[in-house]
Amino acid sequence: MEGTDLHESLRSLRVWDAAVTELPPFDPDTAPGEPLPLFARWFADAVAAGQTEPHTVSLATADADGLPDVRVVMLHGADAEGWSFATHAGSRKGRHLAARPYAALVFYWPVLGRQVRLRGPVAVAPAEEAQADLHARSAGALAAALTGRQSEELDSADELARASQAAWDRAGREPDAAVPSWTLYRLLPDEVEFFQGDARRRHVRLAYRRTADGGWGTRLLWP
């Protein structure tokens, strides 16, 4: 609201309003021996609880000088090969990953007071898998990919409107149109942390760390 003091507004806010938030119990002793099954379970819980856009995830990368950057992307999948997301190779995040192929992800599902944090090396999937992933998505996703030039400087909104309309037209004519710059990335985590909020601030933090033999070890962290 115009005229509202920012700091006053911040102080008035509360997290995990009981009217809209359920803080389920989480017993780490019942967690599986590796993180992927627990992630799949928590993701399903978030969907069932009505979490808006539970597949959105913050992606943190660093440039060639080590300066960090973060943005929200969409999860395209999660399996034994890693947690996957996609972008143009020439975008800022694509350039970051080319220079430093290591990243971090964080999911936040406030409806359940849960976070999942991951970090690890990032690999590029084969080009045919990236194209198949793109064409399995919506016409709008293809049109956005065909528009291209992500992260480049834009001269005007009109220029974007013309390029976008042309891309939508092409997506309609050629639903299998190739976008060579479209790249599917997979983050294979070395570390995964599951955070369950608690009303008395006794939050549960279960951290998985990959071991030298490729397995997983777990430990609890102070909140």
Side-chain angles (χ1 to χ4, degrees):
M1 182 182 299
E2 186 176 354
T4 300
D5 178 78
L6 173 62
H7 295 91
E8 179 182 347
S9 178
L10 289 170
R11 286 191 294 270
S12 72
L13 296 173
R14 296 293 180 268
V15 297
W16 304 331
D17 181 352
V20 294
T21 305
E22 175 190 359
L23 296 176
F26 173 44
D27 180 358
D29 290 336
T30 66
E34 57 185 61
L36 183 58
L38 183 55
F39 177 83
R41 185 191 312 165
W42 276 28
F43 186 87
D45 289 347
V47 173
Q51 176 62 59
T52 303
E53 299 180 354
H55 59 317
T56 56
V57 55
S58 297
L59 166 67
T61 58
D63 65 16
D65 296 321
L67 298 177
D69 205 348
V70 66
R71 76 290 288 163
V72 176
V73 298
M74 285 190 289
L75 181 71
H76 287 217
D79 54 30
E81 295 185 84
W83 275 248
S84 59
F85 56 92
T87 189
H88 290 282
S91 68
R92 176 179 289 188
K93 51 189 172 293
R95 297 194 305 272
H96 286 185
L97 291 169
R100 291 175 175 263
Y102 198 91
L105 298 170
V106 60
F107 296 85
Y108 179 44
W109 300 315
V111 70
L112 294 171
R114 285 177 170 173
Q115 297 181 56
V116 181
R117 301 168 59 211
L118 309 92
R119 64 177 183 172
V122 177
V124 175
E128 59 270 21
E129 292 187 29
Q131 296 303 304
D133 175 79
L134 175 60
H135 295 131
R137 302 176 68 77
S138 67
L142 177 58
L146 287 167
T147 301
R149 301 185 65 179
Q150 190 176 55
S151 301
E152 293 182 21
E153 186 172 341
L154 176 66
D155 290 334
S156 70
D158 287 342
E159 182 184 22
L160 172 59
R162 290 191 297 269
S164 175
Q165 186 59 56
W168 274 94
D169 292 344
R170 186 181 175 196
R173 295 192 311 270
E174 303 175 50
D176 295 323
V179 185
S181 63
W182 191 251
T183 305
L184 185 67
Y185 297 90
R186 292 194 177 103
L187 186 152
L188 188 63
D190 294 324
E191 302 176 38
V192 185
E193 181 192 322
F194 293 84
F195 172 103
Q196 174 61 66
D198 177 82
R200 294 181 65 81
R201 302 302 192 263
R202 298 167 183 168
H203 314 311
V204 179
R205 296 177 63 188
L206 175 64
Y208 289 79
R209 183 185 292 272
R210 198 179 294 275
T211 58
D213 62 3
W216 292 94
T218 59
R219 56 180 176 161
L220 294 176
L221 303 176
W222 281 81

